[in-house]
Amino acid sequence: MAVTPREPTQPSLGRLVPIVRWLPRYDRGLLGGDLAAGVAVAAMIVPKDLGYAGIAGVPIQNGLYAAAAGAIIYALFCTSRQISTGPSSSLAAVAGGAVLATGLAGQEAAQLVAGITVVTGALFLLLAALRMGWIAQFLSKAVVTGFLAGSAVSVTIGELPKLTGTSAEGDTAWHELGTWVAGLGEIHWATLLVGLAALALIIGLRFLRPRAPGALVLVVGGLLASHLVDLGAHGVALVGTVPRGLPTPALPSVQVVSDNVSSVAVASVALLLIGFSQTAGDARAFAARRRYRIDVNQESVAQGMANVGAGFFQGMPVSTSLSASSLNESSGARTPLASLVTGGVVVATLFALAPLFSDLPKAVLGAIIIDAVIFGMIDLGELKRLRRVARFDFWVAAVAALAVLSAGVLAGVVIGVALSLGWLVYVTTRPAIPLLGREPDTQVFRDVADNPDDETFPGFAVIRLDGGLFFATAEALEDRVRELSDEADPKLRVVVLDLEAVTFIDSQGAAKLSEIEELTRMDGVDLRLARVKAPVRTVLEAQGLVERIGRDHLHGNVDRAVKAALAAPG
């Protein structure tokens, strides 16, 4: 029977663009909450996005372009009902690092950031197409914590000249800080007064009135002060011309991107790793709290399309904003319509209010940025936890932070990934292989190091491999057997290998176990295996090890293996 094209097409369209499914069935009873949430989030993010654009080194209106495009396009493709997507301090820091690394400014910097945003979006879409979400695990939590802390300090140092009316330059944060200190003799006192007042106001509101929209209050206050006191006439630097409306969608400059391809590549990969981990975690958290399911793969599509759209509108990278999403939820958002409302309000702001931002003092913008990065990117609680729980992870975070300050944000990303991979290799190639003893009056064998009173057997080495037996761990197992053989007193005569924790073995692991069998046999040592899982046994049979060692040397548990060895002649 012939099938009309609409039948297969409609479901696939609904999967790709979920708004096609939920909008026609929208419950109007939710409209009030979605509208209120959308407006509340817009009021919160508009002043912050001006600051994020400053961090990224692009004109402030470009932050609003990204906020509008990101919120609207994300709502078309997302499966989360509360997530708010837009620029963030961490993403802006990475984009700003690329601008600093290339030395671009003005429209060329804006084109570079737009190009990075489009490439990041394309990587998100590729990630979704290949279902490669696991790639985000290449940045460990410790590395991300240190990287963000270092980036926050670096951005703060870069904003200090705005507060003092001086200048600073340098390839690294330390150099920039040095030149800023050296130039303090040229402080512009009116600018310093405005900067300190702005910092005191926004930080004071954060601690005394945490629910108040500090950035919005500061922007309004800064604009009022600028008009009432005529700060520009007193030498206080202002933001300058901010055009009204939206730009015409266009592909970012191919020339700028191709001339700086290495910076674009590093920044885009960093944004993908940071953005995906934020998106997946936050979307799952809100879905669990509200008892609905999200499609993580589709969320990657949504974030990818949002970034591509933001880039085409000369914006900057966008991703999940936890603070905006939390406000979205608490204000009544129950569907992605709230995100559409947020984007619509930002667009209206661009058309109706954008020129007003021209008179915003740069010192006020600097205070907004410093507040955003210090309190949004430095996780003191997590650093304290790392120092208490895993001191090595704490030092990894510290090295990542110092790498950003000493080599720049982009170099810090590369060093951070290298640290993550290095730590992964270190942990993988050094699996725990504890020596086991039997708990008195039981058949339970456990780590002797934790239970020194457990029963051991002279001439016996009962060990357990905690992890897979493959190319990265095979040498560690052989080294452990040799170590026990060399240290044994009396001479080692039995090795019982507990494979209960081994769920995977490759050809190299099987070959290494055969070598260990040959080594022990030549030394007159009886090798026995316990608790071998079926998939592992299949590989060992194919290797021929089961035949050589004998099926009577494979045991259901460690206790049986030890008893069999004790009962064996000789």
Side-chain angles (χ1 to χ4, degrees), residues 315-339:
M316 52 190 291
V318 298
S319 185
T320 296
S321 169
L322 183 57
S323 57
S325 300
S326 298
L327 176 62
N328 202 32
E329 180 194 38
S330 63
S331 300
R334 296 297 176 265
T335 76
L337 183 67
S339 187

Side-chain angles (χ1 to χ4, degrees), residues 26 30-45 71 81-84 290 323-346:
Y26 182 77
L30 304 176
L31 184 60
D34 284 339
L35 287 174
V39 172
V41 170
M44 171 185 165
I45 67 171
R81 303 171 189 173
Q82 280 79 36
I83 287 297
S84 178
R290 289 291 169 179
S323 57
S325 300
S326 298
L327 176 62
N328 202 32
E329 180 194 38
S330 63
S331 300
R334 296 297 176 265
T335 76
L337 183 67
S339 187
L340 290 174
V341 173
T342 296
V345 172
V346 175

Side-chain angles (χ1 to χ4, degrees), residues 116 119-120 123 257 260-271 410 413:
I116 290 171
V119 173
T120 301
L123 290 178
V257 172
N260 302 279
V261 66
S262 60
S263 295
V264 171
V266 173
S268 299
V269 171
L271 291 166
L410 289 194
V413 170

Side-chain angles (χ1 to χ4, degrees), residues 23-24 37 109 113 203 215 264 312 353 380 405 421 466 475-476 483 529 557:
L23 189 59
V113 171
I203 294 176
V264 171
F312 270 80
L353 303 176
L380 288 177
L405 295 172
L421 293 177
D466 291 340
E475 293 295 334
E483 175 191 14
L529 308 181
N557 61 39

Side-chain angles (χ1 to χ4, degrees), residues 169-549:
E169 59 182 15
D171 297 330
T172 69
W174 305 124
H175 189 197
E176 192 171 6
L177 179 62
T179 59
W180 174 74
V181 171
L184 287 179
E186 305 296 325
I187 285 180
H188 189 271
W189 294 102
T191 300
L192 180 63
L193 180 62
V194 172
L196 292 178
L199 265 181
L201 176 60
I202 195 168
I203 294 176
L205 286 174
R206 178 176 290 277
F207 287 101
L208 300 176
R209 294 286 187 272
R211 297 182 65 86
L216 180 60
V217 171
L218 193 55
V219 167
V220 173
L223 291 173
L224 287 174
S226 184
H227 284 287
L228 294 176
V229 186
D230 195 6
L231 293 176
H234 289 81
V236 176
L238 305 178
V239 165
T241 304
V242 178
R244 187 191 305 271
L246 286 168
T248 303
L251 185 70
S253 170
V254 176
Q255 184 67 44
V256 170
V257 172
S258 60
D259 287 347
N260 302 279
V261 66
S262 60
S263 295
V264 171
V266 173
S268 299
V269 171
L271 291 166
L272 173 71
L273 295 176
I274 295 171
F276 182 83
S277 60
Q278 289 178 337
T279 297
D282 293 348
R284 284 193 179 103
F286 283 103
R289 193 151 59 229
R290 289 291 169 179
R291 300 182 182 279
Y292 65 89
R293 298 183 64 180
I294 56 107
D295 182 341
V296 173
N297 204 57
Q298 183 62 30
E299 288 298 307
S300 295
V301 172
Q303 293 293 339
M305 294 302 295
N307 274 281
V308 170
F312 270 80
F313 278 95
Q314 298 180 29
M316 52 190 291
V318 298
S319 185
T320 296
S321 169
L322 183 57
S323 57
S325 300
S326 298
L327 176 62
N328 202 32
E329 180 194 38
S330 63
S331 300
R334 296 297 176 265
T335 76
L337 183 67
S339 187
L340 290 174
V341 173
T342 296
V345 172
V346 175
V347 171
T349 300
L350 280 164
F351 278 96
L353 303 176
L356 295 178
F357 298 128
S358 302
D359 295 325
L360 183 68
K362 287 186 177 180
V364 169
L365 192 62
I368 292 173
I369 291 172
I370 290 173
D371 173 78
V373 298
I374 293 297
F375 294 99
M377 294 170 63
I378 299 180
D379 192 343
L380 288 177
E382 178 63 11
L383 288 170
K384 290 178 180 178
R385 187 189 73 84
L386 291 176
R387 190 171 185 275
R388 184 181 70 253
V389 175
R391 189 66 61 92
F392 184 87
D393 283 358
F394 171 78
W395 289 115
V396 167
V399 170
L402 288 173
V404 172
L405 295 172
S406 303
V409 173
L410 289 194
V413 170
V414 175
I415 294 171
V417 173
L419 280 172
S420 294
L421 293 177
W423 177 230
L424 176 63
V425 170
Y426 177 84
V427 171
T428 302
T429 56
R430 288 164 175 78
I433 311 177
L435 188 64
L436 308 181
R438 184 167 60 188
E439 182 182 3
D441 302 320
T442 72
Q443 296 182 359
V444 176
F445 278 77
R446 52 191 186 175
D447 192 341
V448 171
D450 297 330
N451 306 277
D453 295 330
D454 280 1
E455 181 182 8
T456 57
F457 305 87
F460 279 57
V462 183
I463 58 175
R464 183 184 68 234
L465 175 61
D466 291 340
L469 180 54
F470 58 106
F471 66 92
T473 62
E475 293 295 334
L477 179 59
E478 180 181 1
D479 290 344
R480 181 62 164 146
V481 172
R482 289 182 180 275
E483 175 191 14
L484 291 170
S485 179
D486 292 342
E487 296 177 354
D489 185 20
K491 184 178 182 298
L492 193 65
R493 62 186 184 87
V494 175
V495 171
V496 176
L497 178 56
D498 181 5
L499 296 179
E500 191 271 341
V502 177
T503 58
F504 169 74
I505 182 171
D506 69 354
S507 60
Q508 191 167 330
K512 181 58 66 177
L513 200 53
S514 292
E515 292 176 19
I516 292 173
E517 186 275 332
E518 183 177 354
L519 171 69
T520 54
R521 177 163 41 80
M522 291 177 62
D523 288 344
V525 177
D526 185 20
L527 177 65
R528 294 176 180 269
L529 308 181
R531 299 199 284 186
V532 183
K533 288 183 166 54
V536 176
R537 182 194 293 263
T538 300
V539 175
L540 296 182
E541 287 176 343
Q543 175 69 24
L545 178 61
V546 172
E547 182 179 353
R548 286 201 305 276
I549 198 174

